[in-house]
Amino acid sequence: MTNTTHFGYKTVSEDDKVREVAKVFHSVASKYDVMNDLMSGGLHRIWKTFTIANAAIRPGFKVLDIAGGTGDLSKAFAKKAGPTGEVWHTDINESMLRVGRDRLLNNGIVTPTLLCDAEKLPFPDNYFDRVSVAFGLRNMTHKDQALKEMQRVLKPGGKLLVLEFSKVAAPLQKPYDVYSFSVLPWLGQKIAGDSDSYRYLAESIRMHPDQETLKSMMQEAGLERVEYFNLTAGVAALHTGIKL
């Protein structure tokens, strides 16, 4: 019997979700950064800067960037880790990975780029000083399994950073819903020629665990000292946890 899960508000088989998520990112890869800037008014860059600061990468660190997409975090991590460090830029979607790899190379950054599934990471135990996933956990079918894998590959004392859309503060809920379900699909159609993918984005945010639930999930995955920081009234949140 096929297991089911959610794709936005739809209930689909797990295999279908993998295919549907892949179609979304194949469709939007070339316009991904432009759309991020338009959708968030550039705020995603501030959220990522906050994440990079919290990562506190030092020269020589080994870093895994999961769902690295167009390479914003990998670029910053590689600069901080320096020539003695090791930063892996990974994604499950080939179109996103290609865009990110080309951007990194255009910026003079040569770092390993790998197509891989976060639920089955091809790395040994206790390998990385830092693991990050930005706006990717939401799309994973088995989030609990992915978090366990991230914990597994971290060294003792290493830190996981999860940047993701989250539950917005109550006073902003109604205008945020209007923006999400009316403006976002319209922008997606105008800029990327794809309204459906951005309707899925709005739905997937509502289906993603809220701040406290994700904190509990990280703790259940074996991480300690888990905390989160609400960004822009909870539109996004950064969760961090340590492997002891």
Side-chain angles (χ1 to χ4, degrees), residues 101-120:
R101 178 202 61 189
D102 292 348
R103 282 190 61 197
L104 289 167
L105 290 174
N106 289 342
N107 280 276
I109 296 170
V110 179
T111 199
T113 297
L114 180 68
L115 189 71
C116 78
D117 183 349
E119 296 177 19
K120 304 170 187 173

Side-chain angles (χ1 to χ4, degrees), residues 204-224:
S204 69
I205 291 169
R206 272 69 182 178
M207 299 301 290
H208 186 66
D210 64 17
Q211 290 89 327
E212 284 293 331
T213 304
L214 181 53
K215 178 180 178 179
S216 295
M217 291 173 68
M218 290 175 65
Q219 290 168 333
E220 289 168 10
L223 292 153
E224 307 284 346

Side-chain angles (χ1 to χ4, degrees), residues 27-28 30-32 35 187-195 198:
S27 173
V28 304
S30 64
K31 299 290 187 180
Y32 187 78
M35 280 299 297
L187 270 177
Q189 186 61 43
K190 290 293 183 183
I191 305 300
D194 182 354
S195 61
Y198 289 92

Side-chain angles (χ1 to χ4, degrees), residues 2-5 12-19 141-142:
T2 304
N3 291 329
T4 59
T5 185
V12 298
S13 73
E14 291 182 350
D15 289 344
D16 283 345
K17 175 168 181 174
V18 172
R19 286 191 287 268
T141 304
H142 304 105

Side-chain angles (χ1 to χ4, degrees), residues 15-181:
D15 289 344
D16 283 345
K17 175 168 181 174
V18 172
R19 286 191 287 268
E20 290 300 318
V21 170
K23 281 168 57 178
V24 166
F25 287 97
H26 286 314
S27 173
V28 304
S30 64
K31 299 290 187 180
Y32 187 78
D33 287 327
V34 173
M35 280 299 297
N36 276 352
D37 281 332
L38 286 172
M39 288 188 304
S40 71
L43 285 171
H44 76 103
R45 298 181 183 275
I46 297 172
W47 302 335
K48 288 173 182 173
T49 297
F50 182 76
T51 301
I52 292 159
N54 271 272
I57 307 296
R58 296 199 295 271
F61 268 21
K62 292 179 179 177
V63 184
L64 174 60
D65 183 13
I66 294 173
T70 54
D72 286 345
L73 293 184
S74 289
K75 181 172 84 169
F77 293 157
K79 288 180 177 178
K80 290 181 177 294
T84 60
E86 185 180 319
V87 176
W88 285 81
H89 169 239
T90 73
D91 205 293
I92 197 172
N93 186 275
E94 186 176 355
S95 297
M96 294 291 292
L97 198 67
R98 287 181 183 277
V99 171
R101 178 202 61 189
D102 292 348
R103 282 190 61 197
L104 289 167
L105 290 174
N106 289 342
N107 280 276
I109 296 170
V110 179
T111 199
T113 297
L114 180 68
L115 189 71
C116 78
D117 183 349
E119 296 177 19
K120 304 170 187 173
L121 292 173
F123 299 103
D125 297 354
N126 307 315
Y127 190 77
F128 291 101
D129 298 284
R130 297 286 185 272
V131 175
S132 77
V133 54
F135 305 113
L137 184 66
R138 185 183 75 258
N139 299 307
M140 295 175 192
T141 304
H142 304 105
K143 297 175 181 63
D144 53 350
Q145 175 61 27
L147 290 169
K148 287 176 183 175
E149 279 289 274
M150 296 174 205
Q151 190 269 357
R152 178 184 66 79
V153 301
L154 272 172
K155 293 178 182 178
K159 179 188 278 190
L160 172 64
L161 303 104
V162 181
L163 176 63
E164 188 54 89
F165 293 112
S166 201
K167 186 173 179 61
V168 73
L172 297 179
Q173 189 65 62
K174 286 187 178 179
Y176 185 55
D177 283 348
V178 170
Y179 175 75
S180 298
F181 291 102

